[in-house]
Amino acid sequence: MTSFGHVTLIGIGLINGSLAKALRARGGVETITACARRPETRERALELGLCDFAVEDPAQAVEGADIVVLGTPPLAMGAVAERMAPGLYPRTIITDVGSMKARIVADVAPHLPDPARFVPGHPVAGTEHSGPDAAFETLFVNRRCVLTPLETADADAVETIRAMWEFTGSSVDLMTPEHHDKVLAITSHLPHLIAYTIVGTVDDLEEQAQTEVFKYAAGGFTDFTRIAGSDPTMWRDVLLGNREAVLEMLGRFSEDLAALQRAIRWGEGDKLFDLFTRTREIRRGVIAAGQSYIRQQDDPLADRP
Ligand code: NAP
């Protein structure tokens, strides 16, 4: 029977909490230690049975761990890695679940006693909810998880982290951190930025108009509010942490938006019709690829069941 031994989860919210539940439910773990700053988070994680031990100090949390999973907001990971480093055993495997990768690799790797034991990762699954209460066991089932190991990574470390995510029901892809960041900039980060913008624009409307927007909110706007309801800390970190790829995609998007604006102004219906026909095909492709009926905020095309 598979066991990943003693797993330490630094940060115990939606993602690490769901990992705890998935590992536990399948009997894939001996001990889970959780680490969080606030006593209420630690108490709740214990109450929910997400962990056996909950501690505040990252160095204490990683003592004796076979695997450590960083699951804090992305830009907090460097400081957390620095604090946990003195407690790490030489063979402990370290991974993370952060939504952008190159910046996390740059922030975390220098603090580790042996960067070859570091296997950065990103489970492409989630919801707009946060904290230990938001965790659920099936979050990773039939989802993808991207690993971005460094060239110098130990093969056994990569295989262990791959096995852990496959154990939760995910399929695993390997790529470079830079490639991951480009792909996620367009599939996830830019759509979140657009949702935040649209909902922000509505919020800026005068009170009367705002009331009507809420009253008549149809599918489109409601979907945007779900995405724009995502955790502000995490998304601030993701957009700043993947700055270059996001700005590149934003530039392209702005050009396309200007073209659309022009087509509307000049009554160029054919252009609009052609674009909307093309995008409809993309939607069909997404469904065909099995990416529909998913509950996660990383894919704003998702239909929530
Ligand atoms: P979450 O539910 O908000 O949980 C974050 C955890 O980190 C909490 O336990 C929190 O507890 C702790 N924490 C917060 N700030 C911290 C800090 N400055 N230093 C140390 N610990 C801190 O977050 P999540 O949604 O699980 O996201 C965690 C990671 O997963 C992020 O890196 C995100 O990019 C990635 N991710 C998220 C999604 C998603 O849909 N949410 C999807 C894929 C990947 P305390 O406040 O008590 O310390």
Side-chain angles (χ1 to χ4, degrees):
M1 190 160 160
T2 311
S3 174
F4 297 94
H6 180 177
V7 175
T8 291
L9 304 169
I10 311 264
I12 185 82
L14 168 70
I15 300 296
N16 267 355
S18 297
L19 178 59
K21 284 195 166 181
L23 291 175
R24 275 251 156 99
R26 293 164 178 75
V29 70
E30 280 159 27
T31 309
I32 298 180
T33 300
C35 177
R37 296 167 308 171
R38 291 175 298 153
E40 56 267 36
T41 310
R42 300 195 292 275
E43 276 160 30
R44 196 66 190 130
L46 284 166
E47 274 167 17
L48 291 166
L50 301 179
C51 56
D52 304 290
F53 306 99
V55 300
E56 186 184 359
D57 177 22
Q60 187 192 343
V62 301
E63 272 174 27
D66 296 297
I67 298 176
V68 172
V69 187
L70 299 176
T72 65
L75 293 185
M77 288 185 187
V80 164
E82 186 175 15
R83 289 185 60 205
M84 77 179 183
L88 283 171
Y89 285 14
R91 300 301 294 164
T92 301
I93 300 169
I94 298 106
T95 186
D96 77 286
V97 296
S99 302
M100 78 283 183
K101 300 281 32 114
R103 171 70 189 267
I104 290 176
V105 170
D107 286 358
V108 170
H111 298 296
L112 303 178
D114 183 2
R117 307 303 289 165
F118 182 34
V119 185
H122 176 201
V124 186
T127 74
E128 68 277 28
H129 304 297
S130 310
D133 283 284
F136 59 100
E137 184 198 314
T138 53
L139 177 60
F140 308 113
V141 174
N142 294 331
R143 307 315 319 278
R144 289 188 181 277
C145 180
V146 179
L147 302 182
T148 65
L150 314 181
E151 278 176 17
T152 50
D154 289 344
D156 72 291
V158 178
E159 284 318 304
T160 301
I161 299 304
R162 176 200 281 276
M164 183 182 78
W165 287 110
E166 287 177 348
F167 190 78
T168 69
S170 289
S171 54
V172 173
D173 298 318
L174 264 60
M175 59 183 76
T176 64
E178 293 72 22
H179 187 70
H180 166 279
D181 289 353
K182 278 192 185 145
V183 173
L184 270 292
I186 187 65
T187 60
S188 170
H189 306 171
L190 182 63
H192 273 83
L193 197 63
I194 293 168
Y196 282 124
T197 312
I198 290 179
V199 178
T201 303
V202 169
D203 188 48
D204 290 341
L205 292 177
E206 56 194 79
E207 207 178 308
Q208 168 69 25
Q210 229 185 58
T211 312
E212 282 183 335
V213 169
F214 293 134
K215 194 165 153 196
Y216 297 111
F221 184 69
T222 308
D223 286 350
F224 278 122
T225 60
R226 178 179 67 77
I227 301 166
S230 301
D231 186 60
T233 306
M234 169 182 151
W235 281 98
R236 177 202 60 195
D237 284 11
V238 170
L239 296 174
L240 293 181
N242 195 20
R243 186 190 315 243
E244 276 176 34
V246 168
L247 288 177
E248 159 76 21
M249 288 305 159
L250 198 55
R252 295 182 69 139
F253 174 75
S254 304
E255 283 175 26
D256 291 345
L257 195 62
L260 207 57
Q261 195 177 7
R262 191 185 146 80
I264 294 169
R265 187 180 308 286
W266 294 102
E268 295 169 338
D270 287 354
K271 283 193 180 162
L272 299 181
F273 188 83
D274 287 350
L275 174 66
F276 301 162
T277 305
R278 205 150 49 91
T279 55
R280 197 174 216 193
E281 281 308 307
I282 291 173
R283 173 64 185 165
R284 289 183 176 140
V286 169
I287 293 171
Q291 288 298 301
S292 193
Y293 300 104
I294 48 184
R295 281 200 230 161
Q296 53 120 11
Q297 71 177 15
D298 273 17
D299 186 348
L301 295 175
D303 284 334
R304 284 173 67 80

